[in-house]
Structures are given as structure tokens and as C-alpha cells.
Amino acid sequence: MIVIILIGLVALHIKLPGIYVGLVFVAALFGSLAYPIQDTLVPLLVEPDQLVQAQADMSIAYKGTDYVFNALSGFLISLCSVLGVLIMDAATFVVTVATFRRIKLAEPRQQHTREKSLYLNQILVGFKIISTDPLLRLLTFASVVMNFFFGGLNTYVVLFGRHFGDSIYYGILESMSAVGILLGMTVVY
């Protein structure tokens, strides 16, 4: 629905940046629900001994498609315009929903009763484990710092693309970033 609203705003040439920022924020907020849903469903669908491999495969597939399509965005915007990309986004969402509706699953595996503790307790247990292990504290801190700089890199890629004067340069920079990340994810994993 938010993408449809964005399509309408762009088609009507409404130039209110605050509205666009707010709508994109809400779209990203709801888009981020995919992560906890995935993390909840995968353990119900695979056997415990396959869980680590299934999570790694899901991570590569999800992040990989995310980076590839982000990399293509600059090229698509230069070829089709922002309105065209938004329409493609809405169309691919409809195709995805139709595809997922066709998937028929057997009854999912039931989790053991001891695994069904309250969500807040599970979060607190995670924090306790991290706080008591010096290596995990270091890894958590390093991950926070890396994510902060990765977010900054994404900002600078946009600025570099603008500096060079065209969305094609943005697409090239995103492509190189995506190739590096995909190689790193597949080779390092």
C-alpha cells in the first residue's frame, strides 16, 4: 500500500520530501518484519541438525538478493525513472504474494515445550550470555561499529554517485559493493 501511495505521489509530481521520507521509513519498518518472521519459521520447518545450514542459506539468499537489487537500482532508475521502478516494485510484490500463496506445507514441526519460553526471557538470556563472555562482548561491539560504518558507506555511495553526476555511477558503485559483499558472504561462509 505504501508503494502505491508513493507511485501516486510521484505520478502527481508532488514534491514534499517529508512525506516521502515518512513513507519510506514506514515501508522499511514493515519490511524489517521479514527477519523475525524468517527466524521464527525456519526452526519450525527444518530439523534441528539442519538449522545452522538453513539459517546460513537463508541469510545468503536474502542478503544476496537485497544487495543485487540495490546495485541494479541506479541502472533501473536511469532506464525507467523512479516511477517505473516503483511500479516494478509493486508488480514484483504481487507476483511474490501469488507465488507464496501456492506453497503448500505439511504441518510444521512443533517446538519442544521447553523451547517455548517468553520472548522477553529469550532476549534477556541472550544479553546475559553476551555480557558474561568477553569474546561475545567484543564481537557484539565490533558488529555494532561495522554496521555503523556500513550505513555510512551506503550514504557515501549515494553522494559519490551524485558527485559523478548520474544515477548510472550510483548503480556502478552499488554493483561493486554488491559483488564484494556477495563474494565475501559466499567465500567467507
Side-chain angles (χ1 to χ4, degrees), residues 104-169:
K104 303 287 187 237
L105 294 175
E107 286 295 315
R109 273 188 335 97
Q110 294 297 316
Q111 288 182 317
H112 299 292
T113 307
R114 63 183 174 83
E115 294 177 15
K116 291 185 174 181
S117 62
L118 294 172
Y119 181 67
L120 183 59
N121 288 339
Q122 291 174 348
I123 291 173
L124 293 176
V125 167
F127 281 120
K128 287 177 187 173
I129 292 170
I130 291 171
S131 67
T132 59
D133 188 327
L135 180 59
L136 286 178
R137 279 196 313 262
L138 178 64
L139 287 172
T140 302
F141 177 75
S143 294
V144 168
V145 171
M146 285 184 347
N147 280 324
F148 175 77
F149 285 113
F150 189 72
L153 173 67
N154 288 333
T155 302
Y156 283 111
V157 167
V158 172
L159 295 175
F160 286 141
R162 183 185 300 159
H163 173 73
F164 293 125
D166 200 332
S167 58
I168 290 177
Y169 293 106

Side-chain angles (χ1 to χ4, degrees), residues 67-100:
Y67 291 124
V68 167
F69 286 110
N70 282 343
L72 291 175
S73 63
F75 294 113
L76 290 174
I77 289 170
S78 68
L79 292 175
C80 305
S81 79
V82 172
L83 183 60
V85 171
L86 286 171
I87 291 170
M88 282 189 276
D89 184 26
T92 57
F93 178 78
V94 170
V95 169
T96 301
V97 168
T99 302
F100 275 99

Side-chain angles (χ1 to χ4, degrees), residues 1-14 20 83 86-87:
M1 296 304 299
I2 293 170
V3 173
I4 291 171
I5 293 169
L6 286 169
I7 290 170
L9 291 172
V10 171
L12 295 172
H13 302 287
I14 295 174
Y20 288 99
L83 183 60
L86 286 171
I87 291 170

Side-chain angles (χ1 to χ4, degrees), residues 40-66:
T40 301
L41 289 178
V42 170
L44 296 174
L45 299 174
V46 300
E47 296 300 322
D49 61 332
Q50 299 171 331
L51 186 57
V52 173
Q53 186 61 47
Q55 290 288 29
D57 293 343
M58 288 292 293
S59 178
I60 290 172
Y62 189 82
K63 289 178 184 175
T65 55
D66 190 36

